Amino acid sequence: MRTTAAASAALTIIPSVAMGKKLGHLAPSDTLNVALIGAGNQGSGDITSICKPEVADATPNAFAMSAKPGTEKLVAVCDVDWGYGPVQGTFGKFPSAKKYKDWRIMFDEMGKSIDAVVVATADHNHANPTATAMTLGKHVYCEKPLTHTIYESRLLTKLAAKYDLATQMGNQGSSTDGVRQACAWAWAGEIGEVRKVDVWSARPIWPQGLDTPTDIEKVPATLDWNLWLGHMPHRAYNKAYHPWNFRGWWDFGTGAFGDMACHNMHPVYKVLGLGYPTSVQGQSTTLKKDACPHAQIVKMIFPARPNLPNMAMPEVEVTWYDGGFHAMIPQVLPEGKIWQGEGCAIYGTKDTLVLGSHGSAPYLLSGRTPKSPEVLRVVPDNNHYLDWVSACKNPDLRKKTASHFGEAGPFNEIVLMGVLAVRLAKLGKILQWDGPNMQFTNITADEKVSTWSEMFDIGKMMAAANSAAKAGAGAKPAAPPAAMPGMPGFHDPSERNAKEFVASLVKHDYLNGFKLPDMPA
């Protein structure tokens, strides 16, 4: 009896949150203790949709994609730049949350007090804190794209399965009525079988196609530049990279494709039950050494999948456009409809299904509005954020959130494989993809690839000639190149061994003291 009494007394002083974690779930009445890693624009919006601001009149952030306020408690906030306006705004809304610059120190000091983590850093820093949090038993909401490399996506997929945690990628449209309606129509047989799909985005809305900065700027006193770089090779600070502009650089982002395909291609992935593509080819405007191009087109071929009762699933071609390119406008649109700047068109043998940005406002090109039974789980209030919160508290929902890592991980691999195709466009071939083994099968061991086109920039050559002309007749003309592409004697300084280059992009090295958790079996 003394033993039982002592145990009972001990239980009375353990916080309910800690008990919930020990038992594998929280009671619905309990409040999650949440940590935020990356408190800038997107992170500030995400966290106000998950946690209740402490300041009553806190201004809603434009990046919050839910009208319903958050319900949980923010106990820690981590960002490498305490002087960035949106970060300061987050600090102001949650004054009691402990502030950090290094997420590793945050976990060391507060790991036992944290139940769930929101990750909204630059793309290259998504995987490491997310994976580490999962090994510590923390539920994770991670912004899109889920990771920067294919290997990282596979790792998060396996970690989620191993630790049975609530996870969610930040493609918020996956929880809304649009995707559910699209699946209901398609799976009921309303559009027939699909062999062709177009997906597009008007982005980028940040600079892309830039030359690599050569000047060295002073690092702001409020920014830890080394922590921002994380495991990527060191380079001098420049405002071209941070704040905001990271998406336009290969080392830190994935361009418009990696950013918006997670939103606009997801309905296609869901409606058609896509797995790994078998082949891909990409093309773009001028490739720069370090910057993503202005515009890209990527075509993927997906093999046939098992048929549904009312819908055949043959091989399908999916084409992506961005940077101003989009699918061709149909001859006739339903009354009141315009060909939107963001979205997708799923061309069936019976009808064409069109959706807007983030899978919104679906309609059939015929103008019909058939009534079809629901086939997907209805997310309460269409709230991507609070549905994840519910899954943190209820183990039965762990694999039911709209973009849990078991689904988001494989989908993100498809997106990143398309990014690889653009970077390998100069191989001049249709690349054959082995999804399970994360490799292209038709790149030979000694094959070379040019990874950028800066030395062929005709605009620069014309500008240089114009400057020389303005300098006067006495100016010495620039020497012509010794050879042009395809001519004997031509040397391409960007040429790399293609197989090694692909391997480095599928799984890049972790440097500067950072290390990923091991891949589960």
Side-chain angles (χ1 to χ4, degrees):
M1 287 184 67
R2 279 197 301 268
T3 302
T4 303
S8 299
L11 283 174
T12 63
I13 61 173
I14 297 177
S16 59
V17 169
M19 277 300 298
K21 180 180 172 185
K22 184 175 181 180
L23 296 173
H25 70 280
L26 298 171
S29 59
D30 283 333
T31 300
L32 291 173
N33 283 344
V34 180
L36 171 65
I37 303 174
N41 283 302
Q42 190 65 54
S44 180
D46 288 346
I47 207 62
T48 55
S49 298
I50 293 170
C51 295
K52 184 177 180 180
E54 299 167 26
V55 179
D57 61 346
T59 304
N61 186 284
F63 283 77
M65 298 186 71
S66 170
K68 191 170 183 178
T71 54
E72 308 311 298
K73 181 176 178 58
L74 184 65
V75 296
V77 55
C78 178
D79 199 281
V80 298
D81 189 353
W82 289 12
Y84 187 32
V87 175
Q88 292 178 330
T90 305
F91 290 164
K93 294 173 188 176
F94 301 93
S96 72
K98 191 167 182 181
K99 303 175 183 64
Y100 291 90
K101 286 195 171 182
D102 191 328
W103 56 267
R104 298 168 297 180
I105 296 175
M106 181 187 75
F107 283 148
D108 285 345
E109 293 185 0
M110 294 191 65
K112 294 180 180 179
S113 304
I114 295 169
D115 303 303
V117 179
V118 176
V119 178
T121 61
D123 296 358
H124 69 293
N125 280 325
H126 280 185
N128 208 350
T130 297
T132 302
M134 295 167 76
T135 63
L136 296 174
K138 314 302 178 188
H139 308 292
V140 186
Y141 180 105
C142 182
E143 264 305 327
K144 52 78 200 162
L146 185 63
T147 65
H148 196 222
T149 73
I150 292 171
Y151 177 90
E152 292 169 342
S153 287
R154 186 72 56 89
L155 173 65
L156 297 192
T157 302
K158 290 194 172 187
L159 289 176
K162 178 178 179 180
Y163 290 101
D164 189 30
L165 297 162
T167 58
Q168 188 90 297
M169 180 172 76
N171 54 336
Q172 296 83 359
S174 61
S175 288
T176 61
D177 292 334
V179 177
R180 291 196 295 273
Q181 181 65 83
C183 288
W185 281 341
W187 297 355
E190 294 293 344
I191 65 172
E193 64 181 50
V194 176
R195 296 183 178 274
K196 176 179 170 58
V197 176
D198 286 327
V199 192
W200 63 95
S201 173
R203 296 198 184 190
I205 56 174
W206 49 82
Q208 290 190 187
L210 301 178
D211 294 329
T212 306
T214 55
D215 53 325
I216 299 175
E217 297 181 358
K218 184 178 180 181
V219 179
T222 58
L223 169 65
D224 189 319
W225 179 237
N226 288 329
L227 282 179
W228 190 90
L229 289 172
H231 57 277
M232 300 306 291
H234 187 271
R235 66 175 68 197
Y237 168 78
N238 193 286
K239 289 189 291 293
Y241 308 124
H242 171 83
W244 173 252
N245 295 326
F246 69 89
R247 293 191 191 281
W249 301 96
W250 292 128
D251 272 2
F252 313 123
T254 49
F257 186 23
D259 177 59
M260 286 303 293
C262 291
H263 290 305
N264 296 350
M265 192 180 284
H266 180 262
V268 180
Y269 179 80
K270 197 72 175 177
V271 166
L272 298 181
L274 298 178
Y276 294 120
T278 52
S279 68
V280 62
Q281 55 182 306
Q283 56 180 281
S284 72
T285 51
T286 303
L287 282 173
K288 297 291 186 174
K289 181 174 182 291
D290 294 311
C292 309
H294 287 295
Q296 304 162 105
I297 299 174
V298 178
K299 184 172 78 172
M300 303 179 184
I301 304 296
F302 293 85
R305 288 84 58 217
N307 293 337
L308 299 179
N310 297 305
M311 184 183 184
M313 293 288 190
E315 180 182 272
V316 61
E317 172 188 299
V318 178
T319 304
W320 168 269
Y321 309 84
D322 66 40
F325 294 111
H326 57 72
M328 294 300 177
I329 304 170
Q331 292 290 334
V332 180
L333 288 169
E335 185 176 355
K337 299 294 184 183
I338 61 171
W339 202 236
Q340 65 271 20
E342 300 273 348
C344 64
I346 303 173
Y347 307 101
T349 53
K350 296 181 181 178
D351 213 330
T352 295
L353 174 58
V354 184
L355 296 97
S357 182
H358 296 64
S360 63
Y363 66 90
L364 297 177
L365 201 57
S366 66
R368 297 182 302 120
T369 54
K371 293 187 180 300
S372 303
E374 290 275 11
V375 290
L376 297 181
R377 170 178 172 265
V378 176
V379 175
D381 298 322
N382 291 339
N383 196 309
H384 196 65
Y385 299 100
L386 295 187
D387 197 47
W388 170 72
V389 169
S390 296
C392 294
K393 300 178 181 183
N394 183 353
D396 292 339
L397 296 177
R398 298 277 164 84
K399 300 296 186 293
K400 296 178 181 178
T401 57
S403 200
H404 63 83
F405 290 0
E407 178 171 306
F411 170 54
N412 201 67
E413 288 189 34
I414 294 172
V415 174
L416 296 179
M417 192 273 289
V419 173
L420 292 188
V422 170
R423 301 190 71 176
L424 296 168
K426 289 192 173 183
L427 281 173
K429 62 170 63 176
I430 298 173
L431 296 166
Q432 307 301 316
W433 181 245
D434 174 1
N437 292 305
M438 299 182 286
Q439 64 182 5
F440 292 113
T441 58
N442 62 333
I443 298 178
T444 61
D446 58 351
E447 200 163 2
K448 306 289 186 181
V449 61
S450 175
T451 59
W452 51 288
S453 314
E454 200 165 272
M455 70 293 255
F456 314 139
D457 194 324
I458 301 301
K460 280 188 175 182
M461 295 168 62
M462 293 176 68
N466 188 48
S467 296
K470 287 182 178 179
K476 184 178 179 181
M484 291 297 287
M487 293 177 60
F490 174 75
H491 172 66
D492 181 351
S494 77
E495 198 170 65
R496 302 261 316 260
N497 179 282
K499 212 169 185 65
E500 293 174 0
F501 182 57
V502 172
S504 72
L505 298 180
V506 169
K507 180 189 178 184
H508 54 225
D509 292 329
Y510 270 67
L511 309 171
N512 308 323
F514 289 90
K515 184 181 184 300
L516 272 177
D518 293 333
M519 178 80 76

